[in-house]
Amino acid sequence: RFSSTFTSRIPPADEVTGLLAAARELTGDDDPAAEAALALAEAAVVADAFGAVQGAPDNTAPDTVACAERAVELAGRAGDPVARSAALDALSGARSWAGESFAAAAAARARIDILTSAPSAPARTHELIDALAMAAATAVGTGELPAARRWGSRLADQPQLAEVGDHATSWLLVADAFAGHADAVLTSSVRFLDAWEQAGRQRSFSLGPAAASVAMIHGLRGDHEARATWLTITDRAGGKEDNQHGHGAVFDAMVLLHHGDADAALERIAPEPEQVWKWVCWVWLHWYTALRAEAAVLAGHPDARGRVAAARAVVAGNPVATALVDRAEALLGGDPPQVLATASAFEAAGCRYQWARTLLLAGGAHAATGASALAALGLAPMAAR
């Protein structure tokens, strides 16, 4: 699924439809486990729950959610915790595809609750590893950085991933990068790179964002040579379009904003979210939308106020993204005290980097504190507005 392999490897929907029909004829309606498995296959491929864009072109997000919910219901009847987790994974993907980030995160967390109490078995262990990755990823997407770090740390500590350090550290790297924990990112990046190279430099949906997060930290540190190296790794570890339109756009925009190039940041995230939905709806939607609003304000875009308002509707409930939008609105209104007021929200959300950035943007006596905080994080001075 999403965390390990490219969904383009899934057979085409018309082929799967035929296989499902044949399987139903063989199993009948009196086998709950088989019925649950068939429903999951239908949700995954025919209804395109994981966003591979292999379902019918007229398939809608509500259709996908409904199909995934049916898979969850049937898996519950079957009584198999691994099947229930797999169906909830499909539901999490479907909710994300529909832009329902918090519902996607809730489904991902439910998987861990189910699997934690399930009997130990190889299938359960494999499923738990995937569930931890998805819980960490979706928590990043909703701005719950401390929770993302907890899930990411549990993933990194799994004994089964001792020799797969790239996958093990992937979401811990992302969570720490957003929070601004440069030292932690640099430490984990060594394990990531060693394992990735030893495994033959594989590609996956989780490895690309992890490498891009390391590149971002090097960018925030002002180490442009190291950043260039990690951007090359990003290109090789993940999907080209994911890097171009999704996580790559988010991380690049943060580096550009840090160094005072708001125009370039605005250009990097120029498309409306709806134009790049496939690449942002999973984890990156709130970050993309909020940073797009901030870049518009700092670059003096004529529709900056409209972008701030649009972003606010999307990110409601996300503590970090909401604070980003609040700060952008305060900057647009030329209100330093209100800019400063957002600092406490960043600090409470565990986003130390944005807390320090807020102090610098507020200016005055607070700028020195912000500059010291950035230095303590191991990051380069931020360019003046």
Side-chain angles (χ1 to χ4, degrees):
R1 294 195 291 277
F2 249 144
S3 62
S4 57
T5 56
F6 281 111
T7 49
S8 59
R9 295 176 183 172
I10 299 173
D14 54 354
E15 180 180 334
V16 173
T17 300
L19 292 172
L20 288 173
R24 285 195 176 92
E25 290 182 4
L26 292 172
T27 60
D29 299 326
D30 56 351
D31 187 340
E35 192 175 3
L38 291 172
L40 177 57
E42 184 177 9
V45 183
V46 179
D48 202 21
F50 298 111
V53 192
Q54 290 181 299
D58 58 350
N59 181 61
T60 68
D63 291 338
T64 302
V65 170
C67 196
E69 287 177 332
R70 179 173 178 273
V72 171
E73 179 185 357
L74 292 175
R77 292 180 189 176
D80 181 349
V82 173
R84 288 179 63 195
S85 172
L88 282 166
D89 192 25
L91 180 59
S92 181
R95 292 291 189 188
S96 173
W97 197 237
E100 300 171 7
S101 301
F102 295 102
R109 288 193 297 268
R111 297 175 64 195
I112 296 178
D113 294 338
I114 291 168
L115 294 167
T116 298
S117 59
S120 180
R124 175 260 187 193
T125 299
H126 177 79
E127 189 70 20
L128 179 60
I129 288 171
D130 185 80
L132 288 169
M134 293 302 96
T138 53
V140 167
T142 54
E144 300 168 276
L145 297 183
R149 195 177 197 287
R150 286 197 300 273
W151 301 131
S153 295
R154 280 188 61 182
L155 180 67
D157 292 341
Q158 291 296 302
Q160 294 79 7
L161 298 184
E163 297 182 4
V164 197
D166 46 355
H167 287 281
T169 60
S170 56
W171 290 106
L172 181 59
L173 280 166
V174 175
D176 278 341
F178 273 125
H181 300 317
D183 288 346
V185 170
L186 297 180
T187 299
S188 296
S189 71
V190 175
R191 182 184 175 191
F192 175 95
L193 185 57
D194 286 347
W196 181 70
E197 290 180 335
Q198 290 175 14
R201 301 183 176 186
Q202 297 179 351
R203 291 179 179 269
S204 93
F205 279 104
S206 58
L207 299 184
S213 70
V214 179
M216 182 190 75
I217 286 296
H218 283 300
L220 297 181
R221 286 169 53 82
D223 190 339
H224 302 296
E225 183 177 348
R227 180 173 184 248
T229 297
W230 276 91
L231 287 176
T232 299
I233 295 170
T234 301
D235 288 338
R236 296 174 179 173
K240 180 179 179 180
E241 290 183 312
D242 295 282
N243 186 39
Q244 176 63 30
H245 302 300
H247 59 78
V250 168
F251 289 130
D252 286 352
M254 288 184 67
V255 172
L256 292 166
L257 288 171
H258 182 87
H259 293 291
D261 198 343
D263 290 329
L266 188 61
E267 178 65 23
R268 187 67 180 88
I269 48 180
E272 296 280 351
E274 291 79 6
Q275 294 177 276
V276 291
W277 192 257
K278 173 177 167 54
W279 300 281
V280 300
C281 71
W282 180 36
V283 172
W284 318 109
L285 176 61
H286 291 183
W287 294 97
Y288 185 95
T289 306
L291 289 168
R292 192 167 180 270
E294 178 174 323
V297 169
L298 294 177
H301 191 279
D303 190 33
R305 192 169 300 280
R307 292 192 179 187
V308 168
R312 186 175 298 286
V314 171
V315 307
N318 181 320
V320 180
T322 297
L324 285 170
V325 174
D326 287 343
R327 189 177 68 194
E329 186 172 41
L331 289 168
L332 182 61
D335 189 346
Q338 193 57 39
V339 171
L340 184 62
T342 65
S344 59
F346 288 120
E347 189 167 28
C351 194
R352 192 72 173 173
Y353 167 66
Q354 293 294 347
W355 170 80
R357 179 170 166 78
T358 299
L359 298 181
L360 283 156
L361 288 170
H366 305 285
T369 303
S372 296
L374 283 182
L377 290 171
L379 305 178
M382 196 176 82
R385 285 183 61 199

